[in-house]
C-alpha cells in the first residue's frame, strides 16, 4: 500500500516540476545561477572589523560580524555541494567534514536529521539549538526540543555550526547552535531557473524546481522540492514535499527587509525495529505494514537588518512555527507480528510557537583598544497540545480515535532572555571576549491522563489530573580567547555555561512514574582549546581538545531503590540523578595534493585528501550510574575521503568509521528482542560524481554504502518501532541538474 501524497497542492507542484524538467523551452530561459559562496558574508557590513578569514575547504564563521561575536569558538561552515548528491538529504554525507558528528540513521527519506556531538544524545538533534535562517525549527526549544523538520539540502546555501559556547548568544542548549542558511536568488539576472530530477534504488524519485533573481532592489527565490520512494527496507515508503518563498528588499542603503515562508509535509511508513535474530536473517525486512508517521511543518519569518551607523548594526527577526507530529501504529516489540487486526495507537501533537529576537552589534574602543559589543534580547511563546488514544482499525494513515483518550494535555512555554558579550583586543592579535546571558523560562501544564493497556490501548484506570507550573531564571557566563599570529595560525579557546531545560514529559506527571517537585534543569560547562589554520593553499586544519561536564542529568529511580520512599513511589521517581564527564579531541585536516605536487592538475582539476576525526571519552562520574559509559557516545568517529574538483565537476570517495556504542545508560550488553544492547562498530563507504554535459546541464550520481555493509546506528524503544533499526544498504542515485 502506497503512502498517500501529503496534499493536493504538493501533488500538483510535484507534477509541475516534472513537466518543467522535460520541457524543451528550458534551454531558452535557464540562466546560470550566481551563488553566494560559503566564504562570503554580509558584504554591506565591512565597517565591522573582521578578525578571522575564511578561505580554503573548511571555512569558519567570522569571529565578529553584524550577527554577533564568536571569539574563541569552534565553528564550521558546511557547504552542502561537497556532500555528494543532495537528493537523499543524507546526514552522514552532509556533516562528513564536521568532526565527531554522531548520526542516527533510520530511513532514506531524509526528512529528519538526528545528530549530536561530544557524546550527547542524537535523538532528533534535541541537544542542539536548531534553526533555519535564524528561526527556531524545533517543536519547542525548551519543553520538547525535537526537530521533525530538516530543509532539503538542494535549497540550502550553507550550514553554520557553533559548538559548545554558542549558549551565550543563541540559547542555553549544551550541544551548540545549528543554522541552515537558505539560498537566495541569482544576483546577476532578474530571473534564473534551476531544476534537478533524479531517480534511484527503491523506487526513489526526486524533483527540485527553483526560480529567483534580482529585480532592482528586490532579490527573490522560490522553490519546490519533492521526494518519494519505497525505501531500502520493505514497508519503508515515504513521500514528502517542501515549498518555500523568500524575498529580500533593500529599502535603502541602510535597511533591508526579508520575508520568507516554508511549508513541509510528509508521510512515512514505519517498518519497525528488528530483534537480533531478525536483523541477522534479513536486515531489509519490514515488520509493521500499518505503522505511519507524518509531520506537516510551517515556518514564517520576517527580518529587519538596519545599519545605524558606520559601526553599529541592528538585526530584528520575528518568526513562528506551526507544526504537527502525527503517528498511528501497533507500537509493539519485534516478537509480536502484525496480523492486520492488532489494535493501533494514535498519537498527535500540535505546536504553535512565535518569537522575536533583536540584537545590536556595535564597534567601539575601550581604553584605546578596538572592541565590539554584541547585545540582544529574546521573547517567545509556545503551546503544545498532546493526545493519545486507541486508533482506527484498518491499515491506512488515518488519525481517528476509536476510544476515550488516555492522554490529553496542553503545555505552555514563555521565554525571555537577554545577553551581552564584549570582544576586546587586549594586545595585537589577542582578543578576549567575556559574555553573560540571563534566561527566564515559565512553563505550565494542564490536562489529564489515565493508565492504559500496552496492547489494546484502552483506558484501564481512573482519570488523573496532570497540572503544574514552573518558572526558573538561569544566568550563564563564559569567556572566549583568540590569538592570531601574523602567519595566519590561530590559537583559540573558550569556556561557557549551558543548561538543558526540563522537558514537558520530565516535569509534569503523565504516567505512573512520579515527578520530584525539586526536579531542575540539567546544567553543564563546555570548554575548548584549539589551533587552526584555514588560509593555507596546501594544508587546512583545525584541531581542538574539548571538555564537558553534564550535571543534574534526568533519570528515573526505581521504587525498589528508593528505600523508605518506595511505598510513596512504587513505580519510581523521576528526578535529577547524576553527572557525566566528556572529553576528547576533534580534528579536521585537508591537504591539497595538487598544490603539494607543485600545482599539478589532473584532468583540469585539483585533488585533495581530507579527514575529520574525533576521539571521545564519556562516562558517568556521579549518581547511581557512576562508572558506566554514556550511551551513544562512540570512542572514535573517523571520516575521510579523496576529492577531485574542477569547474562544474566533482568526484569524491569517502569512508566513515564509527565505534560501537551502548544503547542505554545501564550498559546492557544483550537483549534478544533488540530493544537494548551493544551496537557494534561499522564502516560505510560513499561515492559521488558530478560531470558537466553541455552548458548549464550536468549529470550527478552517487552510490551510498558502496560495499553494501549491514549495520545499525540505534535501538528504538518506541518510534519508529521497538528494536534494532538497520541503516540503509547500497543505494544508487542518478539524474540531471539544470541551471546550477
Amino acid at each position: 500500500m502506497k503512502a498517500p501524497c501529503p496534499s493536493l497542492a504538493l501533488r500538483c507542484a510535484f507534477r509541475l516540476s516534472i513537466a518543467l524538467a522535460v520541457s524543451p523551452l528550458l534551454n531558452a530561459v535557464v540562466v546560470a545561477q550566481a551563488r553566494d559562496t560559503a566564504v562570503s558574508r554580509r558584504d554591506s557590513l565591512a565597517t565591522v572589523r573582521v578578525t578571522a578569514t575564511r578561505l580554503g575547504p573548511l571555512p569558519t564563521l567570522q569571529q565578529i560580524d553584524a550577527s554577533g561575536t564568536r571569539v574563541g569558538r569552534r565553528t564550521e561552515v558546511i557547504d552542502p555541494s561537497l556532500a555528494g548528491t543532495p537528493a537523499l538529504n543524507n546526514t552522514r554525507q552532509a556533516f562528513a567534514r564536521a568532526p565527531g558528528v554522531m548520526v542516527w540513521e533510520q530511513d532514506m527519506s531524509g526528512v529528519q536529521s538526528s545528530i549530536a556531538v561530544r557524546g550527547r544524545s542524537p535523538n532528533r538533534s534535541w541537544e542542539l539549538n536548531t534553526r533555519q535562517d535564524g528561526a527556531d525549527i524545533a517543536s519547542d526549544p525548551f519543553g520538547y526540543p525535537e526537530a521533525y523538520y530538516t530543509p532539503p539540502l538542494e535549497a540550502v546555501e550553507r550550514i553554520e555550526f557553533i559548538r559548545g559556547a554558542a549558549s551565550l548568544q543563541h540559547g542555553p542548549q549544551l550541544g551548540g547552535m545549528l543554522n541552515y542558511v537558505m539560498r537566495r536568488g541569482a544576483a546577476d539576472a532578474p530571473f534564473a531557473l534551476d531544476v534537478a530530477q533524479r531517480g534511484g534504488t527503491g523506487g526513489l524519485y526526486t524533483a527540485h524546481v527553483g526560480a529567483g533573481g534580482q529585480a532592482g532592489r528586490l532579490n527573490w527565490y522560490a522553490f519546490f522540492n519533492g521526494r518519494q520512494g519505497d525505501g531500502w527496507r520493505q514497508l519503508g515508503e515515504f513521500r514528502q514535499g517542501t515549498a518555500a518563498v523568500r524575498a529580500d528588499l533593500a529599502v535603502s542603503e541602510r535597511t533591508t527587509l526579508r520575508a520568507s515562508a516554508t511549508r513541509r509535509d510528509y508521510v512515512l511508513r514505519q517498518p519497525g525495529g528488528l530483534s537480533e535474530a531478525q536483523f541477522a536473517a534479513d536486515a531489509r525486512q519490514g515488520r509493521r505494514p500499518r505503522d505511519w508517521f507524518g509531520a506537516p511543518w510551517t515556518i514564517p519569518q520576517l527580518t529587519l537588518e538596519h545599519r545605524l551607523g558606520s559601526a553599529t548594526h541592528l538585526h530584528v527577526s520575528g518568526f513562528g512555527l506551526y507544526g504537527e507530529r502525527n503517528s498511528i501504529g501497533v507500537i509493539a516489540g519485534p516478537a509480536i507480528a502484525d496480523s492486520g487486526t492488532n489494535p493501533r495507537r494514535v498519537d498527535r501533537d500540535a505546536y504553535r510557537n512565535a518569537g522575536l529576537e533583536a540584537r545590536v552589534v556595535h564597534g567601539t574602543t575601550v581604553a584605546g583598544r578596538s572592541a565590539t559589543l554584541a547585545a540582544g534580547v529574546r521573547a517567545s511563546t509556545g503551546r503544545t497540545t498532546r493526545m493519545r488514544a486507541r486508533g482506527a482499525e484498518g491499515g491506512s494513515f488515518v488519525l481517528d480515535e476509536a476510544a476515550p483518550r488516555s492522554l490529553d494535555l496542553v503545555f505552555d512555554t514563555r521565554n525571555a532572555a537577554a545577553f551581552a558579550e564584549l570582544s576586546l583586543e587586549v594586545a595585537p592579535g589577542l582578543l578576549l571576549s567575556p559574555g553573560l546571558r540571563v534566561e527566564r523560562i515559565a512553563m505550565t501544564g494542564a490536562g489529564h491522563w489515565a493508565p492504559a493497556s500496552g496492547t489494546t490501548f484502552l483506558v484501564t484506570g481512573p482519570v488523573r489530573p496532570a497540572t503544574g507550573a514552573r518558572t526558573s531564571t538561569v544566568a550563564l557566563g563564559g569567556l572566549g580567547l583568540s590569538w592570531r599570529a601574523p602567519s595566519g595560525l590561530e590559537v583559540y579557546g573558550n569556556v561557557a555555561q549551558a543548561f538543558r531545560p526540563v522537558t514537558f514529559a520530565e516535569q509534569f506527571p503523565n504516567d505512573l512514574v512520579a515527578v520530584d517537585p525539586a526536579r531542575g534543569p540539567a546544567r553543564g560547562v563546555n570548554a575548548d582549546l584549539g589551533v587552526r589554520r584555514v588560509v593555507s593553499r596546501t594544508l587546512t586544519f583545525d584541531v581542538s581538545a574539548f571538555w564537558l561536564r553534564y550535571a543534574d542529568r534526568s533519570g528515573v529511580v526505581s521504587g525498589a531503590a528508593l528505600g523508605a520512599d518506595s511505598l510513596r513511589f512504587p513505580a519510581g521517581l523521576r528526578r535529577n540523578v547524576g553527572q557525566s564527564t566528556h572529553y576528547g579531541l576533534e580534528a579536521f585536516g585537508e591537504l591539497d595534493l595538487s598544490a603539494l605536487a607543485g600545482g599539478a592538475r589532473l584532468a583540469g582539476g585539483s585533488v585533495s585528501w581530507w579527514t575529520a576525526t574525533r576521539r571521545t571519552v564519556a562516562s558517568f562520574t556521579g549518581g547511581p550510574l557512576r562508572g558506566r559509559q554514556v550511551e551513544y557516545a562512540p570512542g572514535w568517529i573517523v571520516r575521510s575521503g579523496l576529492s577531485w574538483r574542477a569547474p562544474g565537476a566533482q568526484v569524491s570517495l569517502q569512508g566513515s568509521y564509527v565505534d560501537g556504542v551502548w544503547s542505554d545508560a545501564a550498559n546492557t550488553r544483550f537483549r534478544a528482542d533488540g530493544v537494548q544492547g551493544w551496537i557494534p562498530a561499522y564502516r560505510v563507504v560513499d561515492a559521488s560524481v558530478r560531470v558537466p554535459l553541455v552548458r548549464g546541464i550536468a549529470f550527478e550520481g552517487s552510490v551510498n554504502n558502496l560495499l553494501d555493509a549491514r549495520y545499525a546506528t540505534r535501538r528504538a524503544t518506541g518510534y519508529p518501532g521497538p528494536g534494532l533499526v538497520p541503516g540503509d544498504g547500497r543505494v544508487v542515485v542518478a539524474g540531471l541538474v539544470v541551471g546550477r
Side-chain angles (χ1 to χ4, degrees), residues 528-585:
D528 296 90
L529 181 63
V531 59
R532 60 190 168 205
R533 185 172 184 175
V534 295
V535 297
S536 171
R537 293 184 178 181
T538 304
L539 175 64
T540 297
F541 64 87
D542 190 342
V543 180
S544 64
F546 68 87
W547 178 84
L548 164 67
R549 186 188 67 188
Y550 196 168
D552 297 327
R553 295 179 63 127
S554 178
V556 176
V557 180
S558 69
L562 288 172
D565 287 330
S566 61
L567 295 177
R568 294 174 57 203
F569 309 112
L573 182 66
R574 187 174 283 111
R575 69 183 189 187
N576 300 106
V577 296
Q579 174 180 294
S580 62
T581 301
H582 311 232
Y583 61 89
L585 292 173

Side-chain angles (χ1 to χ4, degrees), residues 2 94 100 102 147 167 194 202 211 313 350 367 379 407 472 482 487 523 548 584 586 610 642 739:
K2 299 290 184 182
M102 173 62 176
S167 57
D194 55 271
H313 304 267
L407 202 67
S472 59
S482 171
S487 64
R523 298 173 180 267
L548 164 67
E586 295 169 330
W610 60 269
L642 281 169

Side-chain angles (χ1 to χ4, degrees), residues 51-133:
T51 59
T53 307
R54 289 175 316 285
L55 298 175
L58 179 70
T60 62
L61 287 167
Q62 289 183 3
Q63 293 199 74
I64 299 172
D65 63 14
S67 64
T69 173
R70 291 165 286 272
V71 172
R73 273 72 157 174
R74 178 165 188 133
T75 68
E76 282 123 357
V77 177
I78 299 166
D79 183 353
S81 69
L82 302 179
T85 302
L88 289 174
N89 257 39
N90 187 285
T91 308
R92 179 182 70 242
Q93 288 186 321
F95 290 90
R97 292 168 177 262
V101 174
M102 173 62 176
V103 181
W104 272 1
E105 303 175 33
Q106 60 192 34
D107 58 59
M108 64 184 287
S109 69
V111 297
Q112 301 174 22
S113 63
S114 293
I115 67 172
V117 293
R118 303 181 176 179
R120 286 180 289 267
S121 170
N123 182 45
R124 293 194 193 90
S125 308
W126 68 348
E127 300 273 16
L128 296 170
N129 186 318
T130 53
R131 301 184 174 217
Q132 176 178 293
D133 286 333

Side-chain angles (χ1 to χ4, degrees), residues 327-331 343-348 386-392 398-408 450 452-453 455-459:
S327 65
I328 184 169
V330 175
I331 318 296
R344 299 192 298 170
R345 193 181 82 188
V346 60
D347 290 86
R348 301 196 65 180
R386 177 167 297 170
M387 61 74 56
R388 175 177 297 164
R390 178 166 173 160
V398 294
L399 301 171
D400 298 336
E401 302 165 34
R405 296 178 178 180
S406 60
L407 202 67
D408 196 348
S453 166
T455 56
T456 66
F457 311 121
L458 297 175
V459 172

